Amino acid sequence: MDTMRDRFVDVTTRLLEEDPRLAVVLADITAAAFEPARERHPDRVVNVGIREQLLIGAAGGLALTGMRPIAHTFASFLIERPWEQVKLDLVHQGVGAVLVSAAGSYDWPAGGRTHMSPGDVALLDTLPDWTVHVPGHPEEAEQLLRHAVADGDRNVYVRLSAHQNAEPVAVEPGRFSTVRTGARGVVLAVGPMLDAVLAATEGLDVTVLYAATVRPFDAAGLRAALGAGSGVASGERADVVLVEPYLAGTSANEAHAALADRPHRVLALGVPREEHRQYGSIPEHLAAYGLDAASLKERIGTFLW
């Protein structure tokens, strides 16, 4: 199986051939993989070097000329380091770009804390009108990337990860997918957390929703999953568990807002604010965060029963 990052390079290279408005801006990361595309399109594949503020500034400048830029590097260098440029050069100027990251919350533990960005989606929540896609499989990454490029001139964040599910889900951008139905409550799995959630909830009477797009938040989809089809009457308490591959609680306010007119509880699981300073591996980090299947089973079961 290829990775989401491999698929990103392949699809974007093909899109450069199809769409003369498309440009790619890099900051050394993944530049070697884009070298064949740069040779064919030297004016539309630009490597600014290790200058992440310039990466976003250049994307904003290209957008001002009518181009549809894709800016790419690791999440910590794409969202956190050039945060002022994201806020000003894109949002304040009223232009759009597609930001495609790699190595999010725990993808490259050997890189240490500088290469981990569990707070990226929460940061983008402080800005208006962002679309945020969190695919869990290369097939989904391709579909959502193509949707992002074609999404007018909106600002779109596509969060790629080395952590991925074994099989893709037939996703509809902006909508939650129902993977399993039950009567006790709803567990919303985001992106690469689906496999662990399915293993953790095996045999439990819960509905499992899958989110490959988290912004805008599919409030209608969550409400529908907690409606008559789930066995939870509108006046009864609704129980929701969020399982996100980034900062715990990132979507909690969205869930609360969706259910503001009815009694409900929300358990928000994700990467904690406390730092885990060990290097380790992706599975070890997931276990440390309580996001492996065994930990999720215990935490979800304790909350719902």
Side-chain angles (χ1 to χ4, degrees), residues 38-58:
R38 189 197 66 79
E39 291 177 356
R40 289 194 299 275
H41 307 286
D43 56 334
R44 291 194 289 130
V45 180
V46 181
N47 180 13
V48 301
I50 308 175
R51 300 174 180 86
E52 288 82 6
Q53 290 86 352
L54 178 58
L55 172 78
I56 301 300

Side-chain angles (χ1 to χ4, degrees), residues 36-197:
R38 189 197 66 79
E39 291 177 356
R40 289 194 299 275
H41 307 286
D43 56 334
R44 291 194 289 130
V45 180
V46 181
N47 180 13
V48 301
I50 308 175
R51 300 174 180 86
E52 288 82 6
Q53 290 86 352
L54 178 58
L55 172 78
I56 301 300
L62 287 166
L64 282 171
T65 72
M67 302 291 286
R68 183 63 166 155
I70 296 176
H72 167 70
T73 184
F74 292 160
S76 56
F77 306 148
L78 184 65
I79 303 299
E80 294 179 337
R81 184 170 294 175
W83 176 244
E84 185 175 11
Q85 283 68 37
V86 172
K87 181 176 68 175
L88 298 179
D89 295 358
L90 296 178
V91 178
H92 184 65
Q93 289 195 121
V95 296
V98 181
L99 308 187
V100 180
S101 71
S105 304
Y106 41 71
D107 275 25
W108 189 25
R113 188 67 175 89
T114 57
H115 289 68
M116 298 180 182
S117 183
D120 52 349
V121 178
L123 266 175
L124 286 177
D125 267 349
T126 67
L127 299 175
D129 302 325
W130 277 81
T131 297
V132 178
H133 299 307
V134 187
H137 187 276
E139 292 291 331
E140 300 165 19
E142 175 169 350
Q143 179 183 349
L144 295 170
L145 176 62
R146 288 182 177 276
H147 185 271
V149 169
D151 195 10
D153 293 309
R154 292 183 58 83
N155 280 308
V156 183
Y157 180 43
V158 184
R159 190 184 204 265
L160 306 182
S161 179
H163 178 206
Q164 59 191 54
N165 302 313
E167 300 292 337
V169 174
V171 299
E172 180 180 349
R175 299 291 183 89
F176 298 158
S177 303
T178 302
V179 180
R180 183 183 291 162
T181 58
R184 183 62 189 83
V186 168
V187 182
L188 176 63
V190 174
M193 298 312 308
L194 179 60
D195 280 0
V197 166

Side-chain angles (χ1 to χ4, degrees), residues 217-277:
F217 188 86
D218 185 10
L222 177 60
R223 290 177 64 86
L226 288 162
S230 69
V232 181
S234 60
E236 296 178 7
R237 187 188 73 198
D239 287 339
V240 177
V241 181
L242 304 175
V243 185
E244 302 178 277
Y246 34 75
L247 190 65
T250 296
S251 294
N253 285 340
E254 299 285 345
H256 285 305
L259 302 172
D261 61 343
R262 62 181 298 183
H264 66 276
R265 297 187 304 161
V266 174
L267 174 64
L269 305 178
V271 179
R273 284 180 171 79
E274 295 78 17
E275 287 191 32
H276 289 272
R277 294 175 178 267

